[in-house]
C-alpha cells in the first residue's frame, strides 16, 4: 500500500478506492501503520495509530519509527524487529505507553513482515490493539487478590480457596488446624480434608455452588476429626470462579456447650448420666413404647457394704472404687442400653429391646461377677458385691418413678436374701410385708452406715425439777426421710433380729455420751436404755452389757435398763436370773410402759426391780379422767408398797405435774420438763440453771 498518485479515470477509481480504504482504516477498532524496511520510515498509518503518538494520519507519514514512538521505546523494541527480520515471521509484544496527557495505556503490538515472493523483506505492518481496559481490570483484580491474600494470611481462621473442588490456596491457620504444609495441600481435593461421613454433604454443597454456612467435620492429618463450621462464598475473578471457604474451629465452642450440657446431665465422679438425665431417657423410652417400641428392663444396683469401704479406707478409695464399678457396669452393656449413677453406691441400668427374663438374668449375672471382682485401689485390694433388683417395663410400672421404686424394692429383697444376688420385682412385693422387707434391707444398711442417733430426755423431780434420770431414745437419721422415730423401724428390726446390733450400738453410744457429761460434772444419774425382748433373751446378753461397760470405762451404776412388763412374764426363773446378774453389775432396772401389760403384783414382787414407769396413756387424760386417775393412783400406791420408785411418762402440762405431785409420784418425764434432745442440745440443757415452780 502506498500513498497513491496519478490522474485520469483510473486515477479517480484509485482515489475512490483509497478513500474507502481510509474510511475503513480509520474506523476499525485497531491502529496500524506500515513502515518500509530500509530506514524504518512510516509510509502509512491510520488515524488511531497517528493519534497515539500525537500526529494525524498525514503528518505521521515519512517519519522514522524512532521519531514517532520515541528513541527509548524504539531501542527497547529493536530486538523484536530484528527477530521479525531474521525469522521472517510476525512477532508480538505488549507495551506500556504514557499518553501526551500523562495517562497510562497498554497496547498489544503485532509486527508482520511484508515479504516478496522470494522472501525479501520490503517492510513491516504494525498492528496495535489498545488493551488498557483489559489491563486495568487485571491490575484491579491482582490488587484485590493481593488484598485477599493479605487478609487470608492475617486471618486467625482457616481459609481455603478452591476451584472445582481442587485446592488453589490455603492460609497458615488452616494448615495448622489440619496438620499439613501448603505444598501438601495445594492441588488436592478439598474432600480429602473432610471427615468421610461428611463428604457427601460437602460435595453436594460444592456441586450446588451454594453460599452457605454449616457445621461439619474436618479431618486432621492424624485421622482425628475436628468439629468445624464452614462458611462458603463464591468469588468471581474476571472469568474465573473461585470458592472460598472459611473453616472455623468449633472445638472450643463445642467443648463448652458440651461441658455445660454434660455437667447438668452427668455425675461428676463417674461421668455417667445422673438421675435427671436417666429419668428423661427412661421417660422417652416409655413414650416410644407407647408408639410401639419394645419394652425394657430396669436394674437397680446397690453395692453391698460400700459404706464400710468408705469409712474404713477413706473417701479417696471409695471414689476410686465407684469409678471402677461404673466402668465395669458400662462395659458389660450394649451400646443402646443405659446406665446412670443415682448417687452414693446406687447405679441404675436399662436394658432395651424387650429382653426376656432369661436375657436379663444373664446380664444381671454378668454384672454380679464383673462388679464383684476385686479392685486394686491405692495399693489395697477390695471387693464389693452388688445386689440387683429388676423391674420390667411395661409389666411392673409405667412411669420412671414407679419402675425405679419397684426395682429398688426388689433390690432390698435381694439384700435380705443374703446379698450379692439379683431379684426380679414381683407384684406382691409392693404389699406391706415386702415394704417391711425393703425396710429391713434398708435398716441393715443403716446399721452399716451408722445412720442412727440417740436423743436424750431428762427425768426430773416433780417438786424441784432436779434431774433424777435420763432416757436415751433412738432415732434413724434417714438420708432422704430425715429423722425417723423408733416406732417406724424398731418393730421391723425386732422381727428380723436386727435389733441386736442396733441395741448394742445404743448401749455403747448412751454410755459414751453419759461418760462425757459425767466427766464434765454435768450428770450424776444413770442413763436409761430401752431393751427389746430379743435383746434381753439373747444368749450372752449380760456379758455383752458387761463388755460395753468395760469398753466405755463405765460403772454399772451409770446404767439403767428399761424392760417392758411383757419381757418379765415369760420364764420367771430365767428372767430373775438375768435381772440379778444385771443388778450385780450395779445397773438400775425399770419397768417401762407400766400398766399396759398384765403383770401381777405377786409377779413383780419376786423380781429385782428398781422403778416403774407409768405409761403415758394413763397420764394423758389426767387430771380430769376418772379411770386414768384411778389406775395412776393404784400404780403409785403399788410401787410404794413394793418399795419401788415410780416415774410418770408423758407429762405435758402443769396440771398433770400438779396432780402427780399431789398423789405421791415424785418423778416425771415429759415435754413439760424437757423433750428428747440430740446430744449437744441435751448437754446445753444440762448446763442450764433450772427449777420448777414449787408445788
Ligand atoms: P418409751 O421407752 O416409752 O419412750 C418414751 C416415749 O414417749 C418416747 O417416744 C418419747 O419421745 C415419748 N415422750 C416423752 N415425753 C413425751 C410427752 O410429754 N408427750 C408425748 N406425746 N410423748 C412423749 P419415742 O422416742 O418415739 O420412743 C418410742 C418407743 O420406742 C420408746 O417408748 C421405746 O419403747 C422405744 N425405743 C426408743 N429407743 C429405743 C431403743 O434404743 N431401744 C429399744 N429397744 N427401744 C427403744
Ligand atoms: Mg423407755
Ligand atoms: Mg415408756
Amino acid at each position: 500500500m502506498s500513498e497513491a498518485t496519478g490522474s485520469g479515470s483510473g486515477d479517480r477509481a484509485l482515489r475512490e478506492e483509497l478513500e474507502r480504504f481510509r474510511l475503513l482504516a480509520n474506523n476499525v477498532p485497531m491502529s496500524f501503520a506500515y513502515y518500509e524496511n530500509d530506514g524504518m520510515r512510516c509510509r502509512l498509518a491510520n488515524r488511531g495509530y497517528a493519534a497515539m503518538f500525537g500526529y494525524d494520519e498525514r503528518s505521521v507519514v515519512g517519519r522514522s519509527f524512532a521519531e514517532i514512538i520515541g528513541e527509548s521505546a524504539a531501542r527497547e523494541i529493536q530486538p523484536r524487529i530484528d527477530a521479525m527480520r531474521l525469522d521472517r515471521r510476525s512477532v508480538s509484544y505488549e507495551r506500556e505507553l504514557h499518553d501526551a496527557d500523562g495517562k497510562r495505556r497498554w497496547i498489544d503490538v503485532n509486527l508482520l513482515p511484508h515479504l516478496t515472493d522470494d522472501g525479501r523483506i520490503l517492510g513491516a505492518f504494525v498492528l496495535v490493539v489498545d488493551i488498557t481496559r483489559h489491563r486495568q481490570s487485571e491490575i484491579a483484580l491482582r490488587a484485590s487478590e493481593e488484598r485477599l491474600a493479605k487478609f487470608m494470611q492475617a486471618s486467625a481462621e482457616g481459609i481455603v480457596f478452591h476451584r472445582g473442588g481442587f485446592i488453589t490456596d490455603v492460609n497458615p491457620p488452616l494448615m495448622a488446624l489440619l496438620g499439613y504444609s501448603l505444598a501438601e495441600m495445594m492441588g488436592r481435593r478439598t474432600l480429602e480434608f473432610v471427615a468421610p461421613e461428611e463428604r457427601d454433604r460437602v460435595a453436594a454443597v460444592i456441586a450446588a455452588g451454594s453460599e452457605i454456612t454449616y457445621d461439619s467435620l474436618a479431618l486432621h492429618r492424624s485421622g482425628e476429626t475436628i468439629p468445624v463450621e464452614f462458611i462458603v462464598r463464591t468469588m468471581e475473578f474476571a472469568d474465573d470462579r473461585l470458592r472460598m471457604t472459611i473453616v472455623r474451629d468449633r472445638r472450643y465452642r463445642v467443648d463448652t456447650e458440651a461441658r455445660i450440657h454434660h455437667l447438668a446431665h452427668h455425675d461428676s465422679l463417674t461421668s455417667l448420666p445422673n438421675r435427671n438425665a436417666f429419668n428423661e431417657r427412661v421417660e422417652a423410652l416409655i413414650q416410644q413404647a407407647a408408639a410401639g417400641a419394645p419394652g425394657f428392663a430396669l436394674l437397680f444396683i446397690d453395692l453391698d457394704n460400700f459404706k464400710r469401704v468408705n469409712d474404713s479406707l477413706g473417701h479417696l478409695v471409695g471414689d476410686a472404687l465407684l469409678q471402677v464399678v461404673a466402668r465395669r457396669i458400662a462395659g458389660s452393656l450394649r451400646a443402646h442400653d443405659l446406665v446412670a449413677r443415682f448417687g452414693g453406691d446406687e447405679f441404675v441400668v436399662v436394658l432395651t429391646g424387650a429382653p426376656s427374663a432369661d436375657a436379663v438374668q444373664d446380664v444381671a449375672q454378668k454384672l454380679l461377677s464383673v462388679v464383684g471382682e476385686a479392685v486394686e485401689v491405692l495399693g489395697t485390694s477390695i471387693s464389693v458385691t452388688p445386689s440387683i433388683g429388676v423391674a420390667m417395663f411395661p409389666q411392673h410400672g409405667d412411669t420412671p418413678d414407679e419402675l425405679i421404686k419397684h426395682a429398688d424394692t426388689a433390690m432390698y429383697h435381694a439384700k435380705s436374701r443374703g446379698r450379692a444376688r439379683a431379684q426380679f420385682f414381683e407384684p406382691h412385693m409392693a404389699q406391706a410385708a415386702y415394704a417391711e422387707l425393703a425396710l429391713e434391707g434398708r435398716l441393715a444398711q443403716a446399721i452399716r452406715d451408722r445412720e442412727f442417733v440417740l436423743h436424750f430426755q431428762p427425768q426430773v423431780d416433780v417438786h424441784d425439777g432436779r434431774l433424777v434420770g435420763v432416757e436415751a431414745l433412738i432415732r434413724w437419721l434417714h438420708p432422704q426421710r430425715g429423722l425417723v422415730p423408733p416406732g417406724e423401724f424398731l418393730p421391723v428390726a425386732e422381727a428380723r433380729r436386727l435389733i441386736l446390733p442396733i441395741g448394742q450400738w445404743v448401749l455403747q453410744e448412751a454410755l459414751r455420751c453419759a461418760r462425757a457429761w459425767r466427766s464434765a460434772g454435768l450428770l450424776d444419774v444413770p442413763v436409761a436404755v430401752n431393751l427389746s425382748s430379743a435383746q434381753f433373751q439373747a444368749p450372752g446378753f449380760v456379758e455383752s452389757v458387761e463388755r460395753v461397760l468395760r469398753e466405755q470405762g463405765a460403772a454399772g451404776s451409770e446404767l439403767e435398763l428399761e424392760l417392758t412388763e411383757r419381757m418379765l412374764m415369760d420364764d420367771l426363773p430365767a428372767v430373775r436370773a438375768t435381772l440379778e446378774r444385771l443388778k450385780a453389775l450395779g445397773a438400775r432396772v425399770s419397768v417401762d410402759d407400766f400398766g399396759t401389760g398384765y403383770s401381777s403384783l405377786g409377779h413383780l414382787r419376786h423380781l429385782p426391780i428398781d422403778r416403774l414407769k407409768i405409761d403415758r396413756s394413763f397420764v394423758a387424760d389426767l387430771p380430769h379422767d376418772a379411770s386414768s386417775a384411778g389406775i395412776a393412783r393404784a400404780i403409785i400406791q403399788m410401787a410404794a408398797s413394793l418399795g419401788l420408785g415410780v416415774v410418770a411418762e408423758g407429762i405435758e402440762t402443769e396440771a398433770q405435774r400438779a396432780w402427780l405431785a399431789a398423789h405421791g409420784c415424785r418423778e416425771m418425764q415429759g415435754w413439760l420438763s424437757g423433750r428428747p434432745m440430740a446430744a449437744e442440745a441435751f448437754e446445753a440443757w444440762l448446763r442450764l440453771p433450772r427449777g420448777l415452780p414449787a408445788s
Side-chain angles (χ1 to χ4, degrees), residues 488-501:
E488 287 185 29
F489 62 91
L490 285 185
V492 172
E494 276 162 8
R496 310 279 169 180
R497 302 224 140 224
L498 287 169
I499 193 67
L500 297 182

Side-chain angles (χ1 to χ4, degrees), residues 454-455 457 471-475 485-487 489-490 494 499 502-503 505-507 529-533 535 562 564 592-593 613 615-616 649-653 656 669-676:
L454 288 186
H455 281 194
Q457 187 175 31
E471 181 176 9
L473 295 160
I474 193 171
R475 275 99 184 81
F489 62 91
L490 285 185
E494 276 162 8
I499 193 67
I502 294 176
W505 176 82
V506 171
L507 204 57
V529 164
N530 293 279
L531 297 180
S532 75
S533 49
Q535 238 180 316
E562 294 192 6
T564 59
D592 204 354
D593 307 338
K613 296 186 76 176
D615 191 69
R616 201 172 69 213
E649 289 189 279
I651 308 305
E652 297 181 7
T653 66
Q656 290 166 343
Q669 176 181 349
W671 296 353
L672 181 68
S673 44
R675 296 204 176 219

Side-chain angles (χ1 to χ4, degrees), residues 564-587:
T564 59
E565 281 180 273
R566 182 164 292 284
M567 288 157 64
L568 303 177
M569 293 186 56
D570 296 338
D571 176 357
L572 194 58
V575 169
R576 189 169 49 214
T578 306
L579 288 182
E580 272 163 0
R581 291 177 65 197
L582 290 172
K583 290 290 303 173
L585 292 174

Side-chain angles (χ1 to χ4, degrees), residues 508-572:
Q508 278 170 17
E509 181 67 5
L511 284 170
R512 188 186 66 81
C513 292
R515 190 95 273 266
W517 297 323
R518 236 177 276 286
S519 332
L522 295 169
L523 190 74
D524 58 359
V525 294
V527 61
V529 164
N530 293 279
L531 297 180
S532 75
S533 49
Q535 238 180 316
F536 186 68
Q537 288 161 6
F541 168 67
V542 180
E543 286 80 359
S544 75
V545 173
E546 257 177 32
R547 194 174 57 244
V548 175
L549 284 170
R550 213 172 31 246
E551 280 165 9
Q552 298 300 325
S557 59
E558 295 174 21
L559 181 64
E560 174 175 346
L561 298 167
E562 294 192 6
L563 298 91
T564 59
E565 281 180 273
R566 182 164 292 284
M567 288 157 64
L568 303 177
M569 293 186 56
D570 296 338
D571 176 357
L572 194 58

Side-chain angles (χ1 to χ4, degrees), residues 257-336:
E257 281 167 10
R259 202 162 24 231
I260 290 166
H261 186 267
H262 195 86
L263 280 179
H265 288 80
H266 290 78
D267 160 50
S268 58
L269 178 67
T270 61
S271 273
L272 290 178
N274 60 17
R275 184 189 290 258
N276 286 343
F278 182 83
N279 282 352
E280 276 171 27
R281 295 173 70 181
V282 171
E283 189 73 62
L285 280 178
I286 290 172
Q287 267 158 28
Q288 285 161 24
F296 56 85
L298 191 149
L299 281 64
F300 200 105
I301 304 171
D302 188 279
L303 303 182
D304 303 325
N305 304 323
F306 174 73
K307 180 76 178 205
R308 204 146 69 199
V309 171
N310 240 0
D311 287 348
S312 56
L313 301 173
H315 285 275
L316 279 181
V317 173
D319 284 357
L321 179 66
L322 287 174
Q323 286 170 334
V324 172
V325 167
R327 275 200 299 279
R328 288 181 178 177
I329 293 175
S332 307
L333 305 175
R334 300 161 306 171
H336 39 88

